[in-house]
Amino acid sequence: MTDPSDNHTVAPGPGGSITARRATSDDGVAVGEIHAASWGAAYAPLFPEAVAQEGIESRKTRWHARLAGGEGLVMLGFVAERPLAMSWSVPSEARPGFAEIYSFYTHPDGWGSGVSAALMQATLNHLTADGFDRVHLWTLRDTPQSRRFYTKVGFTETGATQTRDFGDGTPLPQVEYELRLRP
């Protein structure tokens, strides 16, 4: 279970122990590698090759400044001490009083390991400890793996949709999910 005071979750997993903790300014490379590998595997096929490659490369380097600047809650999930999942949450600009999970990615090497569920629980525990009662997120409509995961960990689809342009001028449809953290 997560104890927000020590920033760790411990659970058994098929590949070794699973832990999660708040990322530090020293974790920029690890967070970037997870984000780039996961985004590349899940989303790059949706874009022209040049746009996909730029998206992968930019995700490798953007985390250093965010971590150094303390922008939101960035968490890392580990399997046998290897960082394989990351999340980034901020207070929602669109939904006052909500937290928004703005990024949640698992390296393909961690898919099916249990690290995603452990990291999500640790993230939600931290958001609860930070005083949030509800959390929401957006995910691409045409990514069934992410949609199944969010439903499995308790999120429900709100029915809200939006489009997001990832830099190639072709907006992609997203769907919103939310979760009540406490009654």
Side-chain angles (χ1 to χ4, degrees):
M1 302 306 286
T2 297
D3 176 353
S5 65
D6 71 6
N7 297 328
H8 287 83
T9 297
V10 179
S17 66
I18 297 173
T19 61
R21 66 165 170 80
R22 183 184 293 265
T24 69
S25 59
D26 294 333
D27 292 319
V29 170
V31 174
E33 287 297 324
I34 293 164
H35 192 186
S38 179
W39 192 90
Y43 299 142
L46 303 173
F47 299 99
E49 187 175 336
V51 173
Q53 191 57 44
E54 169 57 30
I56 291 167
E57 291 305 314
S58 74
R59 280 158 178 79
K60 289 180 181 178
T61 58
R62 67 175 64 165
W63 292 99
H64 294 78
R66 284 186 183 149
L67 288 166
E71 293 181 39
L73 170 67
V74 181
M75 299 283 295
L76 275 171
F78 299 80
V79 175
E81 300 187 28
R82 179 180 174 198
L84 287 174
M86 59 79 60
S87 69
W88 178 39
S89 307
V90 296
S92 177
E93 291 181 13
R95 302 199 51 197
F98 278 65
E100 180 172 355
I101 297 176
Y102 205 77
S103 295
F104 194 95
Y105 290 94
T106 302
H107 191 288
D109 291 350
W111 292 353
S113 69
V115 70
S116 299
L119 178 62
M120 179 60 79
Q121 188 58 57
T123 299
L124 297 175
N125 288 349
H126 275 274
L127 294 172
T128 301
D130 288 344
F132 291 100
D133 295 325
R134 299 179 79 121
V135 61
H136 76 116
L137 58 86
W138 293 91
T139 192
L140 289 177
R141 181 194 68 202
D142 298 327
T143 54
Q145 182 176 354
S146 65
R147 294 180 71 180
R148 280 191 307 271
F149 172 74
Y150 294 129
T151 299
K152 182 180 176 180
V153 297
F155 283 79
T156 56
E157 196 170 337
T158 67
T161 62
Q162 67 180 17
T163 57
R164 181 170 176 200
D165 183 342
F166 287 84
D168 69 340
T170 306
L172 296 174
Q174 292 185 306
V175 293
E176 183 186 41
Y177 286 79
E178 73 177 25
L179 176 71
R180 181 180 295 277
L181 297 172
R182 48 182 151 204

